[in-house]
Short mmCIF file of all heavy atoms in Angstrom, two decimals:
data_model
loop_
_atom_site.label_atom_id
_atom_site.label_comp_id
_atom_site.label_asym_id
_atom_site.label_seq_id
_atom_site.Cartn_x
_atom_site.Cartn_y
_atom_site.Cartn_z
N GLY A 19 -23.02 10.73 6.25
CA GLY A 19 -24.07 10.88 7.16
C GLY A 19 -25.43 10.76 6.50
O GLY A 19 -26.43 11.27 7.08
N GLY A 20 -25.56 10.17 5.35
CA GLY A 20 -26.79 10.11 4.54
C GLY A 20 -27.43 8.72 4.71
O GLY A 20 -27.00 7.83 5.37
N ASP A 21 -28.61 8.68 4.02
CA ASP A 21 -29.40 7.40 4.13
C ASP A 21 -28.69 6.39 3.15
O ASP A 21 -28.56 6.67 2.05
CB ASP A 21 -30.85 7.61 3.67
CG ASP A 21 -31.66 6.40 3.69
OD1 ASP A 21 -32.17 6.08 4.70
OD2 ASP A 21 -31.76 5.70 2.57
N PRO A 22 -28.41 5.17 3.62
CA PRO A 22 -27.60 4.18 2.77
C PRO A 22 -28.42 3.81 1.46
O PRO A 22 -27.77 3.78 0.45
CB PRO A 22 -27.51 2.94 3.69
CG PRO A 22 -27.54 3.49 5.11
CD PRO A 22 -28.43 4.70 5.09
N MET A 23 -29.70 3.47 1.61
CA MET A 23 -30.50 3.07 0.38
C MET A 23 -30.59 4.20 -0.60
O MET A 23 -30.40 4.04 -1.79
CB MET A 23 -31.76 2.56 0.79
CG MET A 23 -31.70 1.24 1.61
SD MET A 23 -30.87 -0.03 0.62
CE MET A 23 -31.99 -0.39 -0.65
N LYS A 24 -30.84 5.41 -0.13
CA LYS A 24 -31.01 6.52 -0.93
C LYS A 24 -29.64 6.83 -1.68
O LYS A 24 -29.67 7.17 -2.91
CB LYS A 24 -31.40 7.81 -0.27
CG LYS A 24 -32.80 7.76 0.20
CD LYS A 24 -33.21 9.08 0.90
CE LYS A 24 -34.68 9.08 1.32
NZ LYS A 24 -34.98 10.28 2.15
N THR A 25 -28.53 6.68 -0.94
CA THR A 25 -27.21 6.80 -1.52
C THR A 25 -26.91 5.74 -2.52
O THR A 25 -26.34 6.04 -3.65
CB THR A 25 -26.13 6.71 -0.46
OG1 THR A 25 -26.33 7.68 0.55
CG2 THR A 25 -24.80 7.00 -1.01
N GLY A 26 -27.37 4.52 -2.33
CA GLY A 26 -27.24 3.46 -3.26
C GLY A 26 -27.93 3.72 -4.62
O GLY A 26 -27.38 3.55 -5.66
N PHE A 27 -29.25 4.22 -4.52
CA PHE A 27 -29.96 4.43 -5.68
C PHE A 27 -29.39 5.73 -6.47
O PHE A 27 -29.36 5.74 -7.65
CB PHE A 27 -31.47 4.64 -5.37
CG PHE A 27 -32.22 3.37 -5.14
CD1 PHE A 27 -32.58 3.07 -3.84
CD2 PHE A 27 -32.35 2.46 -6.18
CE1 PHE A 27 -33.29 1.83 -3.63
CE2 PHE A 27 -33.00 1.21 -5.92
CZ PHE A 27 -33.40 0.94 -4.69
N GLN A 28 -28.86 6.68 -5.69
CA GLN A 28 -28.25 7.79 -6.34
C GLN A 28 -26.97 7.33 -7.03
O GLN A 28 -26.60 7.84 -8.11
CB GLN A 28 -27.86 8.91 -5.33
CG GLN A 28 -27.27 10.17 -5.83
CD GLN A 28 -28.16 10.82 -6.80
OE1 GLN A 28 -29.36 11.29 -6.50
NE2 GLN A 28 -27.82 10.94 -8.06
N SER A 29 -26.19 6.43 -6.51
CA SER A 29 -25.01 5.88 -7.10
C SER A 29 -25.35 5.18 -8.43
O SER A 29 -24.68 5.34 -9.45
CB SER A 29 -24.28 4.87 -6.15
OG SER A 29 -23.91 5.49 -5.03
N LEU A 30 -26.49 4.42 -8.39
CA LEU A 30 -27.03 3.73 -9.57
C LEU A 30 -27.35 4.76 -10.62
O LEU A 30 -26.98 4.48 -11.85
CB LEU A 30 -28.25 3.00 -9.15
CG LEU A 30 -28.62 1.69 -9.93
CD1 LEU A 30 -27.58 0.73 -9.85
CD2 LEU A 30 -29.87 1.14 -9.42
N LYS A 31 -27.84 5.87 -10.25
CA LYS A 31 -28.22 6.87 -11.19
C LYS A 31 -26.96 7.48 -11.80
O LYS A 31 -26.87 7.71 -13.03
CB LYS A 31 -29.07 7.98 -10.46
CG LYS A 31 -29.78 8.94 -11.34
CD LYS A 31 -30.70 9.79 -10.41
CE LYS A 31 -30.94 11.11 -10.95
NZ LYS A 31 -31.70 11.94 -10.06
N LEU A 32 -26.03 7.84 -10.97
CA LEU A 32 -24.78 8.35 -11.54
C LEU A 32 -23.94 7.46 -12.46
O LEU A 32 -23.29 7.93 -13.33
CB LEU A 32 -23.83 8.69 -10.32
CG LEU A 32 -24.16 9.99 -9.57
CD1 LEU A 32 -23.42 10.01 -8.24
CD2 LEU A 32 -23.83 11.25 -10.34
N ALA A 33 -24.19 6.08 -12.19
CA ALA A 33 -23.44 5.02 -12.99
C ALA A 33 -24.19 4.58 -14.20
O ALA A 33 -23.89 3.65 -14.77
CB ALA A 33 -23.02 3.95 -12.12
N ILE A 34 -25.26 5.34 -14.60
CA ILE A 34 -26.14 4.85 -15.62
C ILE A 34 -25.46 4.46 -16.91
O ILE A 34 -25.76 3.44 -17.58
CB ILE A 34 -27.30 5.83 -15.90
CG1 ILE A 34 -28.29 5.17 -16.78
CG2 ILE A 34 -26.77 7.21 -16.45
CD1 ILE A 34 -29.60 5.98 -16.86
N ALA A 35 -24.44 5.23 -17.26
CA ALA A 35 -23.63 4.96 -18.57
C ALA A 35 -23.03 3.59 -18.44
O ALA A 35 -22.91 2.85 -19.44
CB ALA A 35 -22.55 6.03 -18.76
N GLY A 36 -22.59 3.19 -17.19
CA GLY A 36 -21.90 1.93 -17.06
C GLY A 36 -22.87 0.76 -17.28
O GLY A 36 -22.32 -0.40 -17.55
N PHE A 37 -24.07 0.97 -17.13
CA PHE A 37 -25.10 -0.10 -17.30
C PHE A 37 -25.55 -0.26 -18.76
O PHE A 37 -26.09 -1.22 -19.18
CB PHE A 37 -26.28 0.04 -16.47
CG PHE A 37 -25.95 -0.22 -14.89
CD1 PHE A 37 -25.51 0.85 -14.22
CD2 PHE A 37 -26.14 -1.46 -14.42
CE1 PHE A 37 -25.14 0.58 -12.82
CE2 PHE A 37 -25.85 -1.69 -13.05
CZ PHE A 37 -25.36 -0.66 -12.27
N ILE A 38 -25.28 0.77 -19.51
CA ILE A 38 -25.69 0.80 -21.00
C ILE A 38 -24.53 0.38 -21.88
O ILE A 38 -24.69 -0.41 -22.81
CB ILE A 38 -26.13 2.19 -21.36
CG1 ILE A 38 -27.46 2.53 -20.51
CG2 ILE A 38 -26.45 2.32 -22.84
CD1 ILE A 38 -27.83 3.97 -20.72
N VAL A 39 -23.32 0.86 -21.60
CA VAL A 39 -22.20 0.68 -22.47
C VAL A 39 -21.89 -0.77 -22.72
O VAL A 39 -21.57 -1.14 -23.89
CB VAL A 39 -20.95 1.42 -21.89
CG1 VAL A 39 -19.65 0.95 -22.59
CG2 VAL A 39 -21.11 2.92 -22.14
N PRO A 40 -21.98 -1.68 -21.78
CA PRO A 40 -21.59 -3.16 -22.03
C PRO A 40 -22.48 -3.76 -23.13
O PRO A 40 -21.94 -4.52 -23.95
CB PRO A 40 -21.81 -3.83 -20.70
CG PRO A 40 -21.56 -2.75 -19.71
CD PRO A 40 -22.09 -1.52 -20.24
N TYR A 41 -23.76 -3.40 -23.11
CA TYR A 41 -24.61 -3.85 -24.18
C TYR A 41 -24.19 -3.31 -25.53
O TYR A 41 -24.29 -4.06 -26.60
CB TYR A 41 -26.05 -3.47 -23.98
CG TYR A 41 -26.73 -4.29 -22.87
CD1 TYR A 41 -26.69 -3.86 -21.57
CD2 TYR A 41 -27.48 -5.39 -23.17
CE1 TYR A 41 -27.36 -4.50 -20.52
CE2 TYR A 41 -28.04 -6.22 -22.13
CZ TYR A 41 -27.96 -5.71 -20.87
OH TYR A 41 -28.63 -6.48 -19.82
N LEU A 42 -23.73 -2.13 -25.59
CA LEU A 42 -23.31 -1.40 -26.77
C LEU A 42 -22.13 -2.09 -27.44
O LEU A 42 -22.02 -2.30 -28.66
CB LEU A 42 -23.12 -0.03 -26.57
CG LEU A 42 -24.28 0.79 -26.09
CD1 LEU A 42 -23.99 2.27 -25.88
CD2 LEU A 42 -25.49 0.56 -26.87
N PHE A 43 -21.10 -2.39 -26.55
CA PHE A 43 -19.98 -2.96 -27.19
C PHE A 43 -20.05 -4.47 -27.49
O PHE A 43 -19.26 -5.01 -28.29
CB PHE A 43 -18.60 -2.77 -26.31
CG PHE A 43 -18.50 -3.32 -24.85
CD1 PHE A 43 -18.64 -4.67 -24.66
CD2 PHE A 43 -18.34 -2.46 -23.83
CE1 PHE A 43 -18.57 -5.24 -23.42
CE2 PHE A 43 -18.22 -3.05 -22.56
CZ PHE A 43 -18.41 -4.36 -22.33
N VAL A 44 -21.16 -5.07 -26.98
CA VAL A 44 -21.40 -6.43 -27.49
C VAL A 44 -21.91 -6.40 -28.88
O VAL A 44 -21.53 -7.09 -29.79
CB VAL A 44 -22.38 -7.13 -26.62
CG1 VAL A 44 -22.99 -8.42 -27.24
CG2 VAL A 44 -21.82 -7.52 -25.21
N TYR A 45 -22.79 -5.45 -29.18
CA TYR A 45 -23.39 -5.28 -30.51
C TYR A 45 -22.44 -4.55 -31.46
O TYR A 45 -22.62 -4.74 -32.75
CB TYR A 45 -24.76 -4.54 -30.37
CG TYR A 45 -25.82 -5.36 -29.94
CD1 TYR A 45 -26.24 -5.23 -28.49
CD2 TYR A 45 -26.48 -6.32 -30.68
CE1 TYR A 45 -27.25 -6.10 -27.94
CE2 TYR A 45 -27.57 -7.10 -30.11
CZ TYR A 45 -27.99 -6.93 -28.82
OH TYR A 45 -28.88 -7.79 -28.33
N ASN A 46 -21.58 -3.76 -30.96
CA ASN A 46 -20.59 -3.10 -31.85
C ASN A 46 -19.25 -2.97 -31.14
O ASN A 46 -18.91 -2.02 -30.34
CB ASN A 46 -21.08 -1.73 -32.22
CG ASN A 46 -20.17 -0.99 -33.17
OD1 ASN A 46 -19.13 -1.60 -33.58
ND2 ASN A 46 -20.61 0.22 -33.62
N PRO A 47 -18.38 -4.04 -31.29
CA PRO A 47 -17.04 -4.03 -30.68
C PRO A 47 -16.15 -3.03 -30.99
O PRO A 47 -15.05 -2.89 -30.41
CB PRO A 47 -16.56 -5.49 -31.11
CG PRO A 47 -17.73 -6.24 -31.50
CD PRO A 47 -18.71 -5.28 -32.19
N THR A 48 -16.48 -2.10 -32.05
CA THR A 48 -15.65 -1.04 -32.34
C THR A 48 -15.39 -0.13 -31.15
O THR A 48 -14.37 0.56 -30.93
CB THR A 48 -16.38 -0.15 -33.48
OG1 THR A 48 -16.45 -0.97 -34.64
CG2 THR A 48 -15.41 1.12 -33.75
N MET A 49 -16.34 -0.11 -30.21
CA MET A 49 -16.19 0.68 -29.00
C MET A 49 -15.07 0.21 -28.19
O MET A 49 -14.50 0.87 -27.43
CB MET A 49 -17.59 0.62 -28.18
CG MET A 49 -17.55 1.52 -26.92
SD MET A 49 -19.15 1.57 -26.20
CE MET A 49 -20.02 2.68 -27.21
N LEU A 50 -14.67 -1.10 -28.35
CA LEU A 50 -13.54 -1.75 -27.65
C LEU A 50 -12.27 -1.55 -28.46
O LEU A 50 -11.23 -2.14 -28.13
CB LEU A 50 -13.81 -3.18 -27.29
CG LEU A 50 -14.98 -3.47 -26.43
CD1 LEU A 50 -15.12 -4.93 -26.15
CD2 LEU A 50 -14.87 -2.68 -25.15
N MET A 51 -12.39 -0.88 -29.58
CA MET A 51 -11.28 -0.69 -30.50
C MET A 51 -10.70 -2.05 -31.00
O MET A 51 -9.47 -2.22 -31.06
CB MET A 51 -10.17 0.13 -29.88
CG MET A 51 -10.64 1.64 -29.81
SD MET A 51 -9.35 2.84 -29.30
CE MET A 51 -9.59 2.66 -27.51
N ILE A 52 -11.56 -2.98 -31.31
CA ILE A 52 -11.23 -4.22 -31.96
C ILE A 52 -12.19 -4.44 -33.14
O ILE A 52 -13.28 -3.96 -33.11
CB ILE A 52 -11.34 -5.48 -30.95
CG1 ILE A 52 -12.82 -5.67 -30.42
CG2 ILE A 52 -10.39 -5.23 -29.77
CD1 ILE A 52 -12.94 -6.88 -29.65
N ASP A 53 -11.79 -5.21 -34.13
CA ASP A 53 -12.54 -5.63 -35.22
C ASP A 53 -12.57 -7.13 -35.42
O ASP A 53 -11.57 -7.75 -35.94
CB ASP A 53 -11.95 -4.97 -36.55
CG ASP A 53 -12.83 -5.31 -37.73
OD1 ASP A 53 -13.86 -5.91 -37.53
OD2 ASP A 53 -12.48 -4.97 -38.91
N PRO A 54 -13.51 -7.79 -34.75
CA PRO A 54 -13.56 -9.26 -34.75
C PRO A 54 -14.14 -9.83 -36.02
O PRO A 54 -14.36 -11.11 -36.04
CB PRO A 54 -14.42 -9.61 -33.46
CG PRO A 54 -15.47 -8.46 -33.50
CD PRO A 54 -14.62 -7.25 -33.98
N THR A 55 -14.43 -9.07 -37.04
CA THR A 55 -15.05 -9.56 -38.17
C THR A 55 -14.32 -10.71 -38.82
O THR A 55 -13.04 -10.63 -39.10
CB THR A 55 -15.24 -8.45 -39.22
OG1 THR A 55 -15.82 -7.33 -38.76
CG2 THR A 55 -16.01 -8.95 -40.48
N GLY A 56 -14.98 -11.84 -39.02
CA GLY A 56 -14.38 -12.97 -39.63
C GLY A 56 -13.51 -13.86 -38.70
O GLY A 56 -12.95 -14.85 -39.19
N LEU A 57 -13.37 -13.47 -37.51
CA LEU A 57 -12.51 -14.21 -36.54
C LEU A 57 -13.39 -15.14 -35.71
O LEU A 57 -14.64 -14.96 -35.51
CB LEU A 57 -11.80 -13.18 -35.62
CG LEU A 57 -10.87 -12.30 -36.27
CD1 LEU A 57 -10.30 -11.29 -35.18
CD2 LEU A 57 -9.76 -12.97 -37.01
N ALA A 58 -12.80 -16.22 -35.18
CA ALA A 58 -13.48 -17.13 -34.34
C ALA A 58 -13.83 -16.51 -33.00
O ALA A 58 -13.13 -15.49 -32.58
CB ALA A 58 -12.64 -18.36 -34.10
N ALA A 59 -14.77 -17.00 -32.22
CA ALA A 59 -15.15 -16.44 -31.03
C ALA A 59 -14.08 -16.52 -29.97
O ALA A 59 -13.96 -15.66 -28.97
CB ALA A 59 -16.38 -17.13 -30.48
N ASN A 60 -13.11 -17.51 -30.16
CA ASN A 60 -12.07 -17.68 -29.12
C ASN A 60 -10.76 -16.99 -29.59
O ASN A 60 -9.73 -17.35 -29.12
CB ASN A 60 -11.81 -19.13 -28.78
CG ASN A 60 -11.43 -19.94 -30.07
OD1 ASN A 60 -11.47 -19.35 -31.18
ND2 ASN A 60 -10.97 -21.09 -29.89
N ALA A 61 -10.85 -15.98 -30.52
CA ALA A 61 -9.71 -15.33 -31.07
C ALA A 61 -9.01 -14.57 -29.90
O ALA A 61 -9.65 -13.98 -29.00
CB ALA A 61 -10.14 -14.30 -32.13
N LYS A 62 -7.67 -14.58 -30.00
CA LYS A 62 -6.89 -13.93 -28.96
C LYS A 62 -6.26 -12.56 -29.37
O LYS A 62 -5.92 -11.72 -28.61
CB LYS A 62 -5.71 -14.80 -28.56
CG LYS A 62 -6.12 -16.20 -28.13
CD LYS A 62 -6.91 -16.18 -26.82
CE LYS A 62 -7.12 -17.59 -26.28
NZ LYS A 62 -7.98 -18.50 -27.12
N GLU A 63 -6.20 -12.34 -30.71
CA GLU A 63 -5.67 -11.14 -31.30
C GLU A 63 -6.76 -10.55 -32.17
O GLU A 63 -7.41 -11.24 -32.94
CB GLU A 63 -4.34 -11.34 -31.99
CG GLU A 63 -3.23 -11.88 -31.06
CD GLU A 63 -1.95 -12.08 -31.77
OE1 GLU A 63 -1.96 -11.97 -33.08
OE2 GLU A 63 -0.97 -12.43 -31.10
N PHE A 64 -6.74 -9.13 -32.21
CA PHE A 64 -7.79 -8.46 -33.08
C PHE A 64 -7.06 -7.33 -33.86
O PHE A 64 -6.30 -6.62 -33.25
CB PHE A 64 -8.95 -7.95 -32.19
CG PHE A 64 -9.54 -8.99 -31.37
CD1 PHE A 64 -9.11 -9.25 -30.05
CD2 PHE A 64 -10.69 -9.74 -31.82
CE1 PHE A 64 -9.65 -10.18 -29.27
CE2 PHE A 64 -11.23 -10.65 -31.10
CZ PHE A 64 -10.79 -10.91 -29.74
N PRO A 65 -7.49 -7.13 -35.08
CA PRO A 65 -7.01 -5.93 -35.77
C PRO A 65 -7.86 -4.68 -35.33
O PRO A 65 -8.92 -4.91 -34.71
CB PRO A 65 -7.29 -6.19 -37.23
CG PRO A 65 -8.49 -7.21 -37.28
CD PRO A 65 -8.20 -8.01 -35.99
N MET A 66 -7.20 -3.54 -35.48
CA MET A 66 -7.94 -2.30 -35.10
C MET A 66 -9.00 -1.99 -36.14
O MET A 66 -8.77 -2.25 -37.33
CB MET A 66 -7.00 -1.19 -35.10
CG MET A 66 -6.01 -1.18 -33.87
SD MET A 66 -6.84 -0.59 -32.30
CE MET A 66 -6.87 1.20 -32.65
#
């Protein structure tokens, strides 16, 4: 029974980590528990 737009912006606020984390795992794939060092961009398997 709340205001839709206010609820949307509050949802955005609650999900703030979800908007930051993707940038972080691009710059440091360790967050994805993969080590792509020395591998091609189209690699299918990754060491831990």
Side-chain angles (χ1 to χ4, degrees):
D21 180 88
M23 291 304 290
K24 287 181 180 178
T25 304
F27 283 111
Q28 183 62 64
S29 300
L30 207 60
K31 194 170 155 187
L32 284 164
I34 189 168
F37 288 86
I38 297 171
V39 166
Y41 285 91
L42 304 183
F43 61 60
V44 169
Y45 285 100
N46 186 356
T48 299
M49 187 173 281
L50 300 181
M51 288 186 272
I52 62 172
D53 183 4
T55 307
L57 299 177
N60 62 351
K62 306 294 189 293
E63 297 180 356
F64 306 89
M66 288 280 286

